[in-house]
Amino acid sequence: MKIAIGADHGGFLLKEALKPYLVQAGHTVIDVGAPSDEPSDYPDIAAMVAQKVMRADSDRGIVICGSGVGACVAANKFPRIRASVCHDTYSAHQGVEHDDMNVLCLGARIIGEALAKDIVSSFISAKFAADVERYKRRLDKVLDIERRFSADNT
Ligand code: RB5
């Protein structure tokens, strides 16, 4: 799987720890930055990850900031992005299976590296259950909201 990953200064160290973990698991990692823990702005990073996923240059995205919240808010501004903060493994796989979440947001000040790896693994391994009518119906409703209320700048 092709995975775009990005982090601001608050998430830089966790991003660096997750990259080799993903590569070792057989994935292609696209690191959009930041390149160091020098102060950077989470909307810039979230935008780069979100655009990779929105344009199908990546299958999934991971954005890390201090809490995960700012990155999540910014990523969800992009069409076709369904981002969520998940700090437990259940949400990380259920969010994909039921809601077709395609961007995982993590807060490096909230969770440690070992839990982050388990969460990432749950997220990456999960697939949307498109054959379950109610999940498909609900996703279609979300997409309809996006169509009706968002400007399409792609
Ligand atoms: C940066 O200090 C911090 O505000 C940012 O990483 C993030 O937590 C925002 O949600």
Side-chain angles (χ1 to χ4, degrees):
M1 189 179 277
K2 235 191 232 180
I3 300 160
I5 190 167
D8 72 356
H9 54 287
F12 173 74
L13 287 178
L14 183 55
K15 170 169 72 70
E16 294 307 298
L18 290 176
K19 282 193 300 182
Y21 176 73
L22 287 164
V23 169
Q24 207 163 12
H27 303 290
T28 302
V29 174
I30 303 166
D31 182 356
V32 304
S36 75
D37 63 358
E38 289 300 305
S40 57
D41 295 336
Y42 67 80
D44 299 334
I45 305 295
M48 285 189 280
V49 170
Q51 285 175 83
K52 293 276 182 212
V53 177
M54 180 184 77
R55 298 189 170 129
D57 294 331
S58 292
D59 302 299
R60 302 264 173 96
I62 299 171
V63 200
I64 312 162
C65 64
S67 64
V69 174
C72 184
V73 168
N76 276 315
K77 297 297 176 190
F78 288 81
R80 299 190 288 284
I81 296 304
R82 293 173 292 281
S84 186
V85 180
C86 297
H87 287 155
D88 66 276
T89 55
Y90 178 79
S91 306
H93 69 79
Q94 197 229 245
V96 176
E97 291 157 358
H98 292 201
D99 313 321
D100 205 17
M101 172 175 70
N102 51 17
V103 174
L104 172 69
C105 305
L106 297 172
R109 294 175 186 158
I110 315 293
I111 56 166
E113 187 182 312
L115 177 56
K117 286 176 177 168
D118 282 358
I119 289 168
V120 162
S121 174
S122 296
F123 170 62
I124 295 304
S125 310
K127 288 184 178 55
F128 177 54
D131 53 326
V132 179
E133 195 278 331
R134 63 186 182 282
Y135 301 156
K136 178 75 173 52
R137 184 182 69 239
R138 291 163 188 160
L139 176 62
D140 285 344
K141 289 186 178 187
V142 171
L143 296 175
D144 186 53
I145 291 169
E146 184 175 288
R147 260 190 301 275
R148 287 187 293 131
F149 296 102
S150 306
D152 189 340
N153 297 314
T154 60

